[in-house]
Amino acid sequence: MSTVQSMPIDSLAYQRDAFIERFLNFASGTFNMFSIYIGDRLGLYRALAEAGPATSKELAKRTRTHERYIREWLEQQTVAGILEIESENHTAAARRFRLPPGHVEPLIECSSLNYLSPMAQLLVGAVRPLPEVLEAYRKGGGVPFDSYGKDLREGQAAINYPAFWHQLPEEWLPAITDVHARLEADPPARVADIGCGYGWSSMGMARGYPRIRVDGFDLDSPSIKHAKENAKRNKLADRVRFQVRDAGDPSLEGRYDLVTAFECVHDLSNPVRALQTMRRLVKDDGVVLVVDERVGDKFTPKGNDVEWMMYGWSILHCLPVGMVDENAAGTGTVMRADTLKKYATDAGFSSVEVLPIEHFFFRFYRLNP
Ligand SMILES: C[S@@+](CC[C@H](N)C(=O)[O-])C[C@H]1O[C@@H](n2cnc3c(N)ncnc32)[C@H](O)[C@@H]1O
């Protein structure tokens, strides 16, 4: 007998209706995320924040967009509770819309730790190659990082920028006292940052520790191009260098005091090879730091407080990119501590410690050579 048949009619109706309510909330959240993408990419939120409340015509003029679309978007944003309307008693053309002050930081303050708009951009990037993703679900294999395009790269860089620029050098590294001391000391410490993306982690470290030299490596050439431009713009190019390199490249050389990997080990098709590289690059008295997602230690039906999101990224992006090579590990975003420990042991590390640094998304692992 199926579960449905075995349920009393009342419980079935209750369960169905509760699910319908949640289902519609899923749809509403999804529309809102895409609407935030539009507002963010077209500079609509910024224009409202900087030049004040506007009618659809005024906002379209400010942002060089088409009034009819802007009017629809403004009304949608109001119904969604993202924007507010100044007075309901106006004609459509005369209605003025404003950005509530408390919504400014999450929507447009790109250096704030509360900045969240990049999540919408990441989401748009994550669904870009959905046909390829579906094909991978059917046949196996992976979807290359490149297929996810600019929105995913940019969203990834922007969502981590505030934490890498501020918390990494100001809180996280100072909490690892021996690493902090070495980064402050002479001779200048050398740092390798694997899978650095747009390079904000490399540059955040260099900003906080003015003696150190950092080499950032990433397989994705558009990311490295942006990283180099960012280093120049931030006047760090003399101490922070970026190269297009595979994390598993056996010809990667150097002797580093600190080797880092931020939010990338779970994305690698071959994480053990990358960890072997990191082990080879670190000096005997150096430290390898892996920063990855703060997921629970084991699967539970409810997951921990961030797994709803980590599984979301995983089914659309991180698992497909981690399935690209032959014999790919296929880790996914939800890389549990035991999985990383197994990879680290296979790569020759003697032990892995979870560091007592608290962050909503991240867990900090110290891998001992
Ligand atoms: C989720 S992003 C993280 C980027 C950056 N560390 C951050 O936290 O914002 C993962 C990065 O790993 C890079 N990557 C994937 N496979 C790689 C490989 N085999 N070697 C080097 N980088 C790789 C991707 O290009 C991407 O930039």
Side-chain angles (χ1 to χ4, degrees), residues 145 152 156-157 160 164 193-199 201 217-220 223 245-248 261-264 266-269 273-274 317-318 362:
F145 185 76
L152 191 119
Q156 173 69 35
N160 281 341
F164 288 169
D193 189 15
I194 304 290
C196 63
Y198 276 31
S201 47
F217 303 110
D218 200 290
L219 191 52
D220 181 56
S223 295
R245 295 296 278 266
D246 188 324
F262 293 90
E263 263 207 322
C264 85
H266 69 254
D267 277 336
L268 304 175
S269 274
R273 217 173 52 201
H317 172 71
C318 299
F362 296 143

Side-chain angles (χ1 to χ4, degrees), residues 198-221:
Y198 276 31
W200 291 120
S201 47
S202 316
M203 287 180 275
M205 291 188 275
R207 182 184 80 80
Y209 295 95
R211 287 185 177 80
I212 67 170
R213 288 171 188 280
V214 187
D215 291 321
F217 303 110
D218 200 290
L219 191 52
D220 181 56
S221 35

Side-chain angles (χ1 to χ4, degrees), residues 169-285:
E170 291 162 20
E171 295 174 30
W172 303 342
L173 291 173
I176 316 171
T177 48
D178 56 336
V179 170
H180 176 68
R182 179 62 194 98
L183 296 181
E184 290 211 307
D186 275 323
R190 290 191 65 197
V191 179
D193 189 15
I194 304 290
C196 63
Y198 276 31
W200 291 120
S201 47
S202 316
M203 287 180 275
M205 291 188 275
R207 182 184 80 80
Y209 295 95
R211 287 185 177 80
I212 67 170
R213 288 171 188 280
V214 187
D215 291 321
F217 303 110
D218 200 290
L219 191 52
D220 181 56
S221 35
S223 295
I224 289 296
K225 183 173 166 278
H226 281 281
K228 285 179 177 173
E229 286 165 8
N230 289 334
K232 260 196 204 147
R233 204 169 304 122
N234 286 283
K235 302 193 180 357
L236 289 168
D238 56 332
R239 292 188 296 119
V240 186
R241 302 264 169 92
F242 293 105
Q243 278 181 48
V244 177
R245 295 296 278 266
D246 188 324
D249 186 340
S251 69
L252 259 186
E253 277 177 5
R255 300 298 288 156
Y256 293 92
D257 301 278
L258 175 65
V259 182
T260 57
F262 293 90
E263 263 207 322
C264 85
V265 171
H266 69 254
D267 277 336
L268 304 175
S269 274
N270 198 331
V272 173
R273 217 173 52 201
L275 291 171
Q276 280 168 341
T277 306
M278 294 172 80
R279 191 174 184 284
R280 194 179 70 247
L281 293 179
V282 75
K283 288 180 181 168
D284 292 342
D285 59 351

Side-chain angles (χ1 to χ4, degrees), residues 2 12 28 43 56 101 138 234 241 272 287 312 344:
S2 77
L12 177 64
S28 147
S56 55
R138 291 197 181 96
N234 286 283
R241 302 264 169 92
V272 173
V287 171

